[in-house]
Amino acid sequence: DTEVTQTPKHLVMGMTNKKSLKCEQHMGHRAMYWYKQKAKKPPELMFVYSYEKLSINESVPSRFSPECPNSSLLNLHLHALQPEDSALYLCASSQVYRGAKNIQYFGAGTRLSVL
Amino acid sequence: DAKTTQPPSMDCAEGRAANLPCNHSTISGNEYVYWYRQIHSQGPQYIIHGLKNNETNEMASLIITEDRKSSTLILPHATLRDTAVYYCIVRVVSSGNTGKLIFGQGTTLQVKP
């Protein structure tokens, strides 16, 4: 099973709302990632967690708050977003490994619209 | 971080081989070349990766030039389901122990009947 499950599939929120995106995997991977993808653009890395600890933050604004409560779950908490934050948010997971085969498996994404 | 350059779009006839080029002239010695594809409205899907040698798996072949400045992904018998955006990615292994994927703009491959 190479499935990464993201919920919800679609989300519409106002600029004053607080919402959360959820990502789950059961492949035993100890690295998990959040990417942001604007329309017709490539995915851009936001955060990386390794062994449930934040290891990379790509200078993401504080209105995005990641959380990794356990090795299978990754959340992205959203607060006071702007319309330009509307995008497809992708979650990925991989083994933590210093070698070549560090394949990232992606979920289908959450399509977020900020009104 | 190394960057990649790909043609924005390509067409291929169904059943023929699709050859997708990628330029990564600034690649460093410890950086791997990965290929992913993204079918419309789905997350990216891993295809293949390599460091110096040519690689083949059940999905595709990867040809890397000797100087490692460019590579070609080959889909031997393209089908309509191979229509997607193909990303050539250079992965930095030394960035901690997780690896950072740097996506380029990708090539939109259209397989035509």
Side-chain angles (χ1 to χ4, degrees), chain B residues 1-74:
Chain B
D1 292 339
K3 293 183 179 178
T4 60
T5 304
Q6 300 176 252
S9 64
M10 294 181 65
D11 289 342
C12 178
E14 189 178 18
R16 305 297 294 269
N19 295 277
L20 292 92
C22 179
N23 181 292
H24 32 79
S25 57
T26 59
I27 194 170
S28 299
N30 65 342
E31 292 174 332
Y32 288 78
V33 180
Y34 276 64
W35 284 82
Y36 281 72
R37 72 181 182 183
Q38 189 171 22
I39 296 170
H40 183 61
S41 297
Q42 298 183 20
Q45 175 191 24
Y46 166 81
I47 301 173
I48 198 167
H49 75 282
L51 181 64
K52 289 188 281 191
N53 300 320
N54 297 338
E55 303 288 345
T56 296
N57 63 20
E58 64 277 6
M59 288 183 69
S61 295
L62 175 60
I63 309 297
I64 302 174
T65 58
E66 194 169 339
D67 62 8
R68 303 211 324 122
K69 294 186 178 209
S70 65
S71 61
T72 301
L73 178 74
I74 301 172

Side-chain angles (χ1 to χ4, degrees), chain A residues 3-12 19-25 34 72-78 88-91 107-112:
Chain A
E3 188 171 351
V4 175
T5 304
Q6 290 187 244
T7 55
K9 292 191 186 310
H10 302 275
L11 180 62
V12 179
K19 296 286 185 183
S20 296
L21 309 184
K22 180 180 172 181
C23 174
E24 192 167 4
Q25 57 88 15
W34 281 115
S72 300
L73 283 175
L74 184 67
N75 298 319
L76 186 62
H77 301 298
L78 314 173
L88 180 68
Y89 288 85
L90 293 160
C91 173
T110 293
R111 191 162 297 281
L112 175 67

